[in-house]
Amino acid sequence: GWPTTGIITQGPLGAFDHGPLHLNAIDIGSTGNPPIYSPYDGMVSEIHDCTLDGDCSRGWGGYGNSVIIKLEEGGLALFGHLSVIMVTAGQPIFKGDQIGIMGTTGVSTGTHLHFELRGLPLAPPYIPVEISPANCDLPNIPCNPRSI
């Protein structure tokens, strides 16, 4: 499943992409602060709580409050810009466990989740459906699927 609910506002390719360093990333935006769940089994390998160091605007890739999960399938999943982190480094994670709450910490223009896979493709079976880059090229039109 998806890690949260909302609309995909930036995709892996197209005019609204994250650039060449983030080809396996999407942003999922929301008007509220929905919970963030792990879509995978694994272990929390790192957390960055920018509220502890007092500076959420820089460092750690600009992702603000962030969690990285090492997946059982191999690879890593990064969840960025959280308002609240609800896990600790070294903690086992199972599919469906809540890891945090969506926010806008770090370098962010609004409430969203930065969801990135490292070492795995941003495609099925690691996400529920294929994301269509063509739908990311038009202003104000979310990537397909429109709503998750």
Side-chain angles (χ1 to χ4, degrees):
W2 294 105
T4 192
T5 58
I7 294 175
I8 298 175
T9 58
Q10 287 191 308
L13 298 168
F16 293 94
D17 72 3
H18 283 86
L21 298 179
H22 302 290
L23 293 178
N24 278 333
I26 58 173
D27 283 350
I28 302 170
S30 178
T31 55
N33 293 92
I36 307 299
Y37 299 101
S38 176
Y40 315 105
D41 293 337
M43 180 171 294
V44 178
S45 63
E46 296 180 60
I47 64 165
H48 177 250
D49 188 339
C50 66
T51 57
L52 291 180
D53 65 28
D55 185 4
C56 287
S57 64
R58 295 186 305 268
W60 226 63
Y63 298 124
N65 288 337
S66 304
V67 173
I68 294 181
I69 296 176
K70 183 175 181 180
L71 310 182
E72 281 189 358
E73 295 94 343
L76 303 170
L78 183 146
F79 305 84
H81 306 296
L82 307 179
S83 62
V84 176
I85 295 172
M86 302 173 74
V87 294
T88 58
Q91 175 181 337
I93 291 291
F94 300 97
K95 183 178 181 176
D97 286 352
Q98 187 171 354
I99 60 173
I101 297 174
M102 189 183 289
T104 186
T105 58
V107 179
S108 171
T109 59
T111 302
H112 72 285
L113 171 69
H114 176 87
F115 174 55
E116 181 175 333
L117 293 179
R118 296 178 179 177
L120 295 170
L122 189 66
Y126 305 107
I127 60 173
V129 295
E130 192 73 39
I131 298 169
S132 171
N135 290 340
C136 298
D137 286 334
L138 303 172
N140 303 315
I141 296 177
C143 301
N144 182 27
R146 291 184 175 278
S147 232
I148 56 175

